Amino acid sequence: MKPEGHVPGSFRDPSGTVFSDQGTLYRTVTTFYEEEYIAARDAGLFEKLISEGLLVSHEEAQTHPLLEQPEIIAVLKPERVPFVSYPYEWCFSQLKDAALLTLKIQKAAMEMGFTLKDASAYNVQ
């Protein structure tokens, strides 16, 4: 079941979906990615990436109606980014910065025993 306010572009990721609820942005994490999510969260990977400015900070909602669905294991509330641009709008140097950021994140993940599941510029937008 797609949440109300589902962001259509988030269909590509079977491990969750992005949606808006009364102006607040959320992302679900499904059982498809449960093992990986819990391992990364509990290892402190997200905290490390956030503290280094490599990941938008977020909090895990303690209560949300979607948490009652058996396939949803977490609902994340990310910090709102004031301006969103898209990779197809970027010049070469911006694409290069996105690639270098992705490599920094991959290196930090590898140091903790993890790896990125993809490396799309849309993950950086």
Side-chain angles (χ1 to χ4, degrees):
M1 175 182 133
K2 291 182 183 174
E4 193 165 325
H6 171 76
V7 175
S10 73
F11 74 92
R12 295 174 187 90
D13 188 355
S15 62
T17 188
V18 176
F19 67 99
S20 178
D21 184 10
Q22 299 179 358
T24 301
L25 197 62
Y26 294 95
R27 186 199 194 288
T28 61
V29 179
T30 67
T31 54
F32 180 86
Y33 211 65
E34 181 174 14
E35 184 178 326
E36 295 88 345
Y37 171 76
I38 290 172
R41 181 195 64 197
D42 292 353
L45 178 60
F46 303 141
E47 288 176 10
K48 176 180 174 57
L49 295 175
I50 291 167
S51 72
E52 294 179 12
L54 303 175
L55 179 67
V56 173
S57 67
H58 64 273
E59 60 185 54
E60 200 171 305
Q62 299 304 307
T63 61
H64 193 280
L66 288 174
L67 289 170
E68 295 174 16
Q69 295 181 22
E71 72 275 7
I72 295 178
I73 61 127
V75 175
L76 308 178
K77 180 182 173 188
E79 177 184 332
R80 179 72 82 166
V81 176
F83 178 79
V84 176
S85 64
Y86 299 90
Y88 58 81
E89 301 172 317
W90 300 346
C91 66
F92 174 78
S93 63
Q94 290 170 308
L95 290 167
K96 179 181 172 185
D97 288 345
L100 292 173
L101 174 64
T102 301
L103 290 172
K104 283 182 187 177
I105 293 170
Q106 175 60 41
K107 182 178 179 189
M110 286 175 55
E111 289 170 354
M112 296 182 74
F114 298 95
T115 186
L116 295 174
K117 67 179 180 174
D118 65 30
S120 168
Y122 285 91
N123 294 337
V124 176
Q125 83 187 99

